[in-house]
Every structure is written in structure tokens, then in C-alpha cells.
């Protein structure tokens, strides 16, 4: 079982922050905290005895063997939580697995094994590679929970948690070796139904994914249809299928849901867009250079960029809020130098059409200039004529 690329990317990022990593590496759980947790657990849950329920503990042992775990695990039934759920907490070489709701009645033995495999996989993830992913989890959550932190840290923590749950679903698949069993387990826990069809639900998941923009909005767990589809892909584990899962979970780039990494990606796309838009020499006016510096702090354009298929794909892989943001950037630079206004707007219309941002830019122009549909068409025509005149006198290609 391999962690997902996003998890590894975040682990590598924090390991390079050597002081932060060293500080969190020194995990110090006080004995008093452990005893307090155990006391609260005994007060609020029924401890299931392995002597009276040997079958459930035999399933636990089978799951541990499949995952190569040797720690002691105790089962509990919550007295306080009435919805179907499972949770696990571990201290050193012991773990406490708490079930809630009617899970023990709802699931058959194979499905209970899948649930145990999922929960134990949390411990498995925390134990591999010298506990790197457990440290990574504590770091990103500590930062995200700080009220002074920027929102992209919260989004990074959320995505990391979603992939953690998918990793544990993969653990359930490893333990049961049965895709149908793991999917019926998930659906039963979510719906409370005693009888479900994995095949039927996979068809439903495919239908959902064709109807909506991909991307999970789950805070702690991906939606069940995403988990089911991911399991189907993971049952044939390839790098290509893992990449598909990451695309399904993260979705298109979203201006409101940037992570530590997608923030850098959007920054790069923004710079490339401005570099491309200001590539013609007549767009490199003093006013535009000043505006460029306001964006990036210095003037360091890459004049070798091309408006090629790869860049168009990056723009296309964006939600509408980002496309609108890109269109506003074009408008911003088009309006910067009043001596270039009509030419620059014609240029912006041309570039936006090639990047399929024209719908957004046209709305912006109409709004900012307060144009009617007729006056807008006349305005665009004048801008296009102005652009063509300067292009005819230019020997170089604009982009």
C-alpha cells in the first residue's frame, strides 16, 4: 500500500522545513492524557470482551495480520453516539476501536472485516516510513487550526485528510480482497440499509461523476460515490488510475479552494498569462511594466513562452471563478495604458478567445464600460480593427 502522491508531496514539503519537522517529530503524549482518555472511554462506551465475543476479535486479528500490525486492539460500543461510525485511537502499542450506532447488527462478518481493515489502516499509515505521515498530519492540522493561518492551509489539511481516508479504504480492500464487500460496507454505514448492491452503486457513482464537476467537498471524508469509484480504480492499481483518483478528489483548480501546492500552480499560470499577454513589444510600455512589478515585485518576463496546447489545458482545468480571475487580469493590463486602450483590448479579446476566456472577458467589458449589446459589438469591432492595424505593421508574431 502506497500513500497518495499528494500525501507524499506534503510530507516532502514539511521534511524540508527542518526546524518545524524536528519540533513535531518529538511527540510527547503525557501519561496523564492517556489515562484520562481511557477513563472517559470506559465511562462513555461499552468495552467488548474478547472472551464473550471471540468472532469479532478473530476478525480483528485477521485484519492485523493482513496489515502486518502487532499491537493490541480493544473493541468498544459507544453509548453516546447513535449514528453509524467507526473510530480508532492508538497509544504506542495499543489501540482502542470505538463503534457507534448499529454497525455490529448492520454488517455481516466480511463487511465488519472491511471496517476493521479501514480503521486499522489509520495506524498502518502512521507507522510506515518511520511515522512520517503521522508527523505530517500533526503539522498541517496544527497550522490549519491556527486562526492566523491563511485559508490555503485549511484546504491543504482537508485534502490530506480525504486522501488519508482513501488510503484506509485501500487498506480495507487489501484486508478483504473483495471490492464488492468494501463498497457495500461503505454504503450500508452511510445509508443504514441492510441490503445494498455494490454493482448498482458503482453505476450510480459513474452517473454522478458525469453530471457534476469533479472534486470532493467533504470535510473529513470524501463522498461515498467518490470513495466507491476510487476503490474500483484502486482494485486495478496503476499510476494512471491513482492520477485519476487525485483528479476526482481535487477537481479543477478553484480560486476559493487553493492548497499549498495549487496556490503555487495558479501563481505560475498567472505569471505565464501576463508574460504571454505582454509579449508584443507594443505591450511593453512603461505603464504596463509598472503594473507587472505590482504583481510580481520585479520585472522578469519569460519571452520564450508560447500560447500552446499545454497552456490552454492549464486554463481549461480551472473552475469558472478562476477563469473569471484570468479574464480580469487581461482586462487589467488592457486598461493600464490609455494610449494602448483599444489596441490592448483587441489584443485581450484575441487572447481570451484562444484560451476560451472570451465569455468572461466580454461580460467584464460590458460591465466596466456599461455597454449595451449593440454598443458592445461596435466597441469590439473598433478594438479589433485597431489591433489588426498594428499587427500588419509588426514583423514579429504576437505570441
Amino acid at each position: 500500500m502506497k500513500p497518495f502522491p499528494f500525501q507524499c508531496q506534503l510530507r516532502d514539503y514539511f521534511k524540508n522545513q527542518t526546524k518545524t519537522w524536528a519540533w513535531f517529530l518529538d511527540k510527547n503524549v503525557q501519561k496523564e492524557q492517556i489515562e484520562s482518555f481511557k477513563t472517559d472511554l470506559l465511562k462513555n462506551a461499552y468495552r467488548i470482551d474478547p472472551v464473550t465475543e471471540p468472532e469479532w476479535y478473530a476478525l480483528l486479528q485477521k485484519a492485523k495480520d493482513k496489515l502486518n500490525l502487532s499491537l493490541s486492539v480493544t473493541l468498544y460500543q459507544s453509548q453516546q453516539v447513535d449514528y453509524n461510525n467507526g473510530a480508532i485511537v492508538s497509544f504506542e502499542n495499543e489501540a482502542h476501536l470505538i463503534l457507534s450506532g448499529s454497525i455490529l447488527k448492520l454488517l455481516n462478518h466480511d463487511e465488519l472485516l472491511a471496517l476493521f481493515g479501514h480503521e486499522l489502516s489509520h495506524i498502518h499509515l502512521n507507522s510506515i516510513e518511520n511515522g512520517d505521515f503521522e508527523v505530517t498530519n500533526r503539522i498541517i492540522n496544527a497550522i490549519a487550526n491556527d486562526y492566523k493561518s491563511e485559508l490555503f492551509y485549511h484546504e491543504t489539511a482537508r485534502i490530506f485528510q480525504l486522501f488519508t481516508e482513501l488510503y484506509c479504504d485501500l487498506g480495507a480492500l487489501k484486508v478483504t480482497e473483495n471490492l464488492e464487500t468494501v463498497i457495500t460496507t461503505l454504503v450500508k454505514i452511510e445509508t443504514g440499509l441492510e441490503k445494498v448492491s455494490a454493482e448498482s452503486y458503482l453505476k450510480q457513482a459513474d452517473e454522478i461523476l458525469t453530471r457534476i464537476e469533479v472534486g470532493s467537498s467533504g470535510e473529513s471524508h470524501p463522498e461515498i460515490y467518490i470513495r466507491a469509484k476510487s476503490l474500483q480504480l484502486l482494485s486495478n492499481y496503476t499510476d494512471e488510475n491513482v492520477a485519476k483518483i487525485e483528479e476526482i478528489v481535487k477537481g479543477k483548480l478553484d480560486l476559493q479552494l487553493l492548497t499549498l501546492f495549487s496556490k503555487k500552480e495558479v501563481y505560475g499560470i498567472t505569471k505565464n498569462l501576463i508574460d504571454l499577454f505582454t509579449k508584443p513589444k507594443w505591450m511593453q510600455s512603461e505603464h504596463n511594466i509598472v503594473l507587472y512589478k505590482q504583481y510580481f515585485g520585479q520585472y522578469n518576463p519569460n519571452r520564450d513562452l508560447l500560447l500552446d496546447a499545454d497552456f490552454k489545458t492549464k486554463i481549461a482545468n480551472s473552475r469558472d471563478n478562476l477563469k473569471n480571475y484570468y479574464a480580469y487580469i487581461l482586462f487589467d493590463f488592457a486598461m493600464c495604458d490609455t494610449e494602448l486602450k483599444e489596441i490592448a483590448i483587441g489584443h485581450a479579446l484575441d487572447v481570451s478567445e484562444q484560451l476560451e476566456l472570451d465569455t468572461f472577458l466580454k461580460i467584464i467589458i460590458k460591465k466596466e464600460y456599461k455597454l449595451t449589446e449593440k454598443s458592445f459589438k461596435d466597441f469590439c469591432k473598433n478594438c479589433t480593427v485597431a489591433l489588426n492595424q498594428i499587427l500588419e505593421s509588426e514583423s514579429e508574431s504576437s505570441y
Side-chain angles (χ1 to χ4, degrees):
M1 287 167 52
K2 299 178 183 177
F4 285 89
F6 184 89
Q7 295 172 293
C8 297
Q9 188 179 15
L10 190 60
R11 182 269 315 273
D12 294 343
Y13 174 83
F14 283 127
K15 287 198 83 169
N16 286 328
Q17 315 297 315
T18 53
K19 290 184 179 179
T20 300
W21 187 265
W23 194 89
F24 277 90
L25 192 61
D26 183 22
K27 181 176 66 173
N28 185 18
V29 180
Q30 299 294 328
K31 183 177 180 181
E32 292 79 8
Q33 292 176 290
I34 298 174
E35 291 305 316
S36 176
F37 168 81
K38 290 180 178 179
T39 300
D40 288 342
L41 189 57
L42 289 172
K43 287 163 58 177
N44 297 305
Y46 171 74
R47 183 171 59 198
I48 298 173
D49 195 313
V51 175
T52 58
E53 303 296 343
E55 291 186 4
W56 292 339
Y57 277 89
L59 291 174
L60 262 180
Q61 187 59 51
K62 183 176 180 180
K64 287 194 294 182
D65 291 343
K66 287 278 189 176
L67 295 170
N68 295 317
L69 295 174
S70 58
L71 77 172
S72 169
V73 182
T74 304
L75 282 173
Y76 298 83
Q77 172 67 40
S78 174
Q79 300 169 14
Q80 303 294 323
V81 181
D82 56 5
Y83 57 85
N84 296 324
N85 195 25
I88 196 164
V89 179
S90 64
F91 302 108
E92 296 179 342
N93 204 37
E94 63 176 287
H96 304 269
L97 202 165
I98 305 103
L99 305 175
S100 60
S102 56
I103 281 180
L104 290 171
K105 293 182 180 178
L106 192 63
L107 304 181
N108 61 38
H109 276 202
D110 289 339
E111 291 162 346
L112 200 56
L113 176 64
L115 175 63
F116 290 165
H118 174 97
E119 297 303 330
L120 288 170
S121 291
H122 282 284
I123 297 174
H124 184 271
L125 177 62
N126 289 341
S127 66
I128 63 174
E129 299 188 29
N130 299 313
D132 280 0
F133 295 98
E134 190 274 337
V135 177
T136 302
N137 182 61
R138 283 191 288 114
I139 294 175
I140 188 57
N141 279 290
I143 298 173
N145 291 332
D146 187 335
Y147 74 94
K148 294 179 290 185
S149 292
E150 296 183 71
L151 289 176
F152 67 83
Y153 282 113
H154 179 273
E155 180 63 11
T156 303
R158 185 182 76 89
I159 297 296
F160 185 85
Q161 177 60 31
L162 298 186
F163 281 118
T164 294
E165 294 300 328
L166 290 180
Y167 177 90
C168 295
D169 285 344
L170 178 58
L173 186 61
K174 176 182 175 67
V175 166
T176 60
E177 299 179 357
N178 190 304
L179 174 63
E180 181 178 339
T181 295
V182 183
I183 292 176
T184 57
T185 302
L186 292 174
V187 178
K188 281 186 175 183
I189 291 174
E190 183 73 12
T191 65
L193 293 173
E194 296 181 3
K195 186 178 180 180
V196 297
S197 166
E199 181 182 0
S200 176
Y201 191 73
L202 281 172
K203 291 179 181 178
Q204 183 176 335
D206 284 332
E207 184 177 348
I208 295 170
L209 290 170
T210 60
R211 288 172 175 264
I212 66 172
E213 285 192 305
V214 294
S216 172
S217 59
E219 191 64 29
S220 61
H221 293 66
E223 293 82 351
I224 295 297
Y225 65 87
I226 289 179
R227 295 173 73 179
K229 184 61 182 179
S230 297
L231 279 164
Q232 186 182 41
L233 291 167
L234 288 171
S235 64
N236 179 26
Y237 197 101
T238 64
D239 290 342
E240 182 180 357
N241 282 347
V242 170
K244 286 180 182 178
I245 293 170
E246 290 227 328
E247 181 182 342
I248 290 171
V249 173
K250 292 189 290 188
K252 292 184 175 181
L253 285 171
D254 190 321
L255 187 61
Q256 305 300 322
L257 296 172
L258 295 177
T259 67
L260 189 62
F261 308 116
S262 59
K263 178 174 178 283
K264 293 179 181 179
E265 186 176 355
V266 170
Y267 176 90
I269 293 172
T270 299
K271 187 176 185 306
N272 288 349
L273 178 64
I274 293 173
D275 286 352
L276 284 165
F277 189 62
T278 59
K279 189 173 181 179
K281 289 181 179 179
W282 42 267
M283 281 296 296
Q284 297 168 31
S285 67
E286 183 178 347
H287 288 85
N288 281 340
I289 290 174
V290 170
L291 180 58
Y292 190 106
K293 290 179 179 178
Q294 289 178 357
Y295 271 81
F296 305 113
Q298 58 182 328
Y299 187 66
N300 60 344
N302 179 358
R303 296 306 180 202
D304 295 326
L305 286 171
L306 297 174
L307 207 164
D308 54 16
D310 182 58
F311 188 68
K312 291 178 182 179
T313 299
K314 289 179 180 179
I315 297 291
N317 189 35
S318 302
R319 298 288 293 273
D320 283 355
N321 54 22
L322 254 181
K323 290 181 178 179
N324 192 57
Y325 159 76
Y326 295 138
Y328 259 110
I329 287 174
L330 295 176
F331 184 76
D332 195 15
F333 275 86
M335 293 294 294
C336 181
D337 191 335
T338 55
E339 293 185 6
L340 292 171
K341 187 174 68 174
E342 286 191 346
I343 299 169
I345 289 178
H347 181 41
L349 288 166
D350 186 21
V351 172
S352 69
E353 185 175 355
Q354 293 189 64
L355 295 175
E356 297 184 0
L357 297 172
D358 48 321
T359 300
F360 300 93
L361 181 60
K362 288 176 180 178
I363 291 172
I364 292 169
I365 293 173
K366 286 181 184 178
K367 174 185 173 183
E368 299 296 333
Y369 276 96
K370 298 180 173 59
L371 298 172
T372 64
E373 188 64 35
K374 183 180 184 306
S375 60
F376 170 72
K377 289 181 179 179
D378 292 338
F379 177 77
C380 289
K381 183 178 179 180
N382 291 335
C383 292
T384 301
V385 169
L387 174 65
N388 288 336
Q389 288 175 346
I390 197 170
L391 288 179
E392 288 171 2
S393 65
E394 286 282 310
S395 59
E396 64 173 344
S397 173
S398 297
Y399 26 75

